[in-house]
Amino acid sequence: IVFTDDNYFNFAPNLSLADNTVYCSYMKRDIEAVTREDDLLNFEGLYSTMAYASYDLTDGSKESEQFITLRHPTMTDPLTMDYNSETFVIDGTTYMVSTYTVDEDLDVTTLDGKSLWVEISDMSAGKTYYPICLTESDVSVASPKLDRLNDSLYLTYVENGEKFCLMDLGRLM
């Protein structure tokens, strides 16, 4: 199954299952201007965004790639460092929960200023709710990961490079 075939560098794929639909979310980076391998490490100089595509296991149909718009109270198109998502169904409605980090100080070389956000999308209605910031800007958060265990949704992440944190997001839904 080919979800997308374009001139972007698509990376960090994440699969999740909701009923009979597989969702593949991933990051996209525009590398057209890259001339050296080192340029790939320049997060500030390259445009990146998130997207997803889906595949129906029952009839084999694919939904075309959809871009994920990340909203922020003070920035347009914030620099996103980490991204992860999970889908699930509640009362017949499919939701996608996305978690990501934003470089709040716009300086990838600093250790602080990487905030953690959660955004919920109603996939059935095509509606995205305003994101929730889970951390303060004076900490640095990395490697957010969402996992479904039993009937709950958990978020794990690393804070300030040393604290491993776990948060139960099941009550959020």
Side-chain angles (χ1 to χ4, degrees), residues 36-94:
R36 302 175 312 137
E37 192 173 306
D38 291 345
D39 291 342
L40 290 173
L41 300 176
N42 181 4
F43 289 97
E44 294 172 286
L46 301 175
Y47 176 75
S48 64
T49 191
M50 278 59 63
Y52 74 90
S54 64
Y55 178 76
D56 189 311
L57 295 172
T58 54
D59 65 12
S61 63
K62 289 191 301 185
E63 180 184 344
S64 62
E65 176 180 72
Q66 303 291 316
F67 289 97
I68 298 169
T69 302
L70 301 179
R71 293 179 284 183
H72 191 278
T74 61
M75 291 183 232
T76 302
D77 202 18
L79 178 59
T80 305
M81 305 301 293
D82 299 297
Y83 177 78
N84 187 251
S85 68
E86 185 65 62
T87 54
F88 54 92
V89 178
I90 297 176
D91 297 330
T93 301
T94 301

Side-chain angles (χ1 to χ4, degrees), residues 8 19 23-24 28-29 67 73-75 82 87 89 106 110 125 127 132 136 145 152 156 161 165 169 171:
Y8 288 87
D19 280 342
Y23 289 88
C24 180
K28 298 180 75 69
R29 184 164 295 148
F67 289 97
T74 61
M75 291 183 232
D82 299 297
T87 54
V89 178
L106 301 175
T110 60
K127 181 165 90 172
I132 302 165
E136 301 294 326
K145 174 90 171 80
S152 198
T156 57
C165 303
L169 296 181
R171 297 174 204 247

Side-chain angles (χ1 to χ4, degrees), residues 68 83-86 96-100 117-120 146:
I68 298 169
Y83 177 78
N84 187 251
S85 68
E86 185 65 62
M96 179 182 283
V97 175
S98 301
T99 183
Y100 52 92
W117 293 78
V118 170
E119 184 174 88
I120 302 169
L146 292 164

Side-chain angles (χ1 to χ4, degrees), residues 11 17 22 30 77 83 85 102 130 135 141 151 154 162 169:
F11 64 103
L17 180 66
V22 174
D30 184 356
D77 202 18
Y83 177 78
S85 68
V102 172
Y130 201 81
T135 60
V141 177
D151 288 331
Y154 293 93
E162 58 190 284
L169 296 181

Side-chain angles (χ1 to χ4, degrees), residues 72 75 78-81 100-117 133 135-142 160:
H72 191 278
M75 291 183 232
L79 178 59
T80 305
M81 305 301 293
Y100 52 92
T101 60
V102 172
D103 188 359
E104 298 287 343
D105 64 5
L106 301 175
D107 185 353
V108 295
T109 62
T110 60
L111 296 178
D112 57 353
K114 311 287 187 296
S115 60
L116 178 62
W117 293 78
C133 184
T135 60
E136 301 294 326
S137 62
D138 61 341
V139 299
S140 182
V141 177
N160 292 330

